[in-house]
Amino acid sequence: MKTYRKRILVTGGAGFLGSHLCKRLLEDGHEVLCVDNFFTGAKENILDLLGNPYFELLRHDVTFPLYVEVDEIYNLACPASPIHYQHDPVQTTKTSVHGAINLLGLAKRTGAKIFQASTSEVYGNPQMHPQPESYWGHVNPIGLRSCYDEGKRCAETLFFDYHRQHGLPIKVARIFNTYGPHMHPNDGRVVSNFIMQALQNQPLTLYGSGEQTRSFCYVDDLIEGFVRLMDSSEDFLGPVNLGNPGEFSIRELAEKVIELTGSRSSLVHKPLPSDDPTQRRPDIRLAREKLGWEPVIPLEEGLKRTIPYFETLLRSR
Ligand code: NAD
Ligand code: UDP
């Protein structure tokens, strides 16, 4: 049970995951400072929080230093979809690396506990399946996805070096594909693409054969994992995988979306983007053991909660 109101900084707080996290932290009785440069985030995602006196919004780019007083920091700032992070790859790496340095500096000065939103992309195109945290990955350092993958890997390095060198309390989560309301409708990620296409009876775009797999976690499950990790025992730093171990081919996902939306869409094939991982599924034994956490919302249920969000978006256009 919560005993006092914490002051919590959420960077990237106007984005998809950040907006759900801000809401959850306010519901838990904390004070939230949401920092965002609105590159991919949107005011709409946090509109319902703006009237809350314990919620504060600051437009700021984390590649520049930030001076605020807080007890905890969740560092989520970074574009997450391939279209967005490849738009300005240099800025993507800067956001991960300079952003981590600035926020770790802030944590060092204030003594705040700091959480890093890392990613399953640190495993690259994995040669081990499913991926446990002990796997070091198979990452192309010079490809189109490298600005994101290597930026996130370097951020993990910085987190662990600040811990070893300065004793900072750190928490590192490796997030696997997550979906839900507030996803950007045009960010090119597969769940948002397929739902938008299905709702408009347009063909669903399967990249490559559609036999590549992903594991999809509903956002509420993931946010529960974030909060449990932040509150976990101080000797548990991570990295810890957070994701849903249910694994589906992209073709299966397309068929499920068509069924749930009652769409008349067909499937079309498009070229596979470079370095697109062929398989991905988290090994979540560590999260189960250390956090008592596992997802409880199956894909079909999560899609049923997500589809109405996109229907509303389309109606408002
Ligand atoms: P998102 O693009 O919706 O949110 C990212 C937010 O960060 C946006 O609001 C954006 O405007 C903001 N931002 C970007 N650059 C910034 C900068 N320089 N300064 C301040 N704000 C900046 O993406 P998301 O899905 O909510 O992802 C949030 C975090 O989780 C990211 O760090 C991402 O790498 C990580 N992650 C997400 C997933 C997923 O499936 N959603 C998977 C793995 C990791
Ligand atoms: N994908 C697809 N059609 C789309 C969008 C994505 O087939 O319209 C594929 C993509 O090639 C990848 C998978 O779906 O194999 C997941 O893509 P996403 O961009 O959502 O996430 P990531 O590749 O970062 O896991």
Side-chain angles (χ1 to χ4, degrees), residues 121 145 177 189-190 193 205 207 212 214 250 276 280:
E121 292 283 332
R145 292 174 90 105
N177 299 61
R189 282 191 267 192
V190 68
N193 262 13
T205 49
Y207 299 163
Q212 69 272 35
R214 292 293 188 276
I250 297 306
D276 196 279
R280 192 187 282 150

Side-chain angles (χ1 to χ4, degrees), residues 12 14-18 35-41 60-63 76-80 91 95 117-119 148 152 175-178 189:
F16 162 44
L17 299 179
V35 161
D36 209 296
N37 70 349
F38 293 104
F39 174 51
T40 53
H60 172 81
D61 184 326
V62 296
T63 61
L76 272 61
C78 187
Q91 173 68 8
T95 295
S118 190
T119 169
Y148 183 73
K152 289 284 187 178
I175 306 163
F176 284 65
N177 299 61
T178 301
R189 282 191 267 192

Side-chain angles (χ1 to χ4, degrees), residues 209-224:
S209 65
E211 299 311 318
Q212 69 272 35
T213 67
R214 292 293 188 276
S215 303
F216 300 100
C217 185
Y218 187 67
V219 60
D220 289 359
D221 278 335
L222 185 80
I223 299 300
E224 178 64 31

Side-chain angles (χ1 to χ4, degrees), residues 234-285:
E234 73 179 42
D235 58 359
F236 183 59
L237 316 175
V240 60
N241 290 338
L242 295 179
N244 191 320
E247 183 179 355
F248 297 86
S249 73
I250 297 306
R251 178 185 297 278
E252 286 172 318
L253 175 72
E255 286 162 357
K256 182 62 67 194
V257 169
I258 289 177
E259 177 197 322
L260 294 176
T261 50
S263 170
R264 298 188 302 279
S265 294
S266 56
L267 303 180
V268 290
H269 289 273
K270 296 268 166 132
L272 189 68
S274 70
D275 294 336
D276 196 279
T278 49
Q279 273 188 314
R280 192 187 282 150
R281 170 154 63 101
D283 177 336
I284 61 162
R285 281 176 295 179

Side-chain angles (χ1 to χ4, degrees), residues 115-164:
F115 168 107
Q116 168 67 356
S118 190
T119 169
S120 53
E121 292 283 332
V122 301
Y123 301 124
N125 191 359
Q127 292 172 314
M128 190 171 182
H129 194 72
Q131 295 82 52
E133 291 82 353
S134 54
Y135 178 51
W136 289 354
H138 181 232
V139 179
N140 176 358
I142 56 167
L144 295 180
R145 292 174 90 105
S146 311
C147 59
Y148 183 73
D149 300 7
E150 298 288 18
K152 289 284 187 178
R153 285 169 68 95
C154 184
E156 285 200 12
T157 308
L158 285 162
F159 268 68
F160 277 83
D161 280 335
Y162 266 79
H163 171 72
R164 283 185 285 257

Side-chain angles (χ1 to χ4, degrees), residues 297-310:
I297 301 164
L299 181 62
E300 180 156 334
E301 172 60 27
L303 289 174
K304 283 183 185 160
R305 296 187 194 188
T306 307
I307 290 165
Y309 170 75
F310 287 100

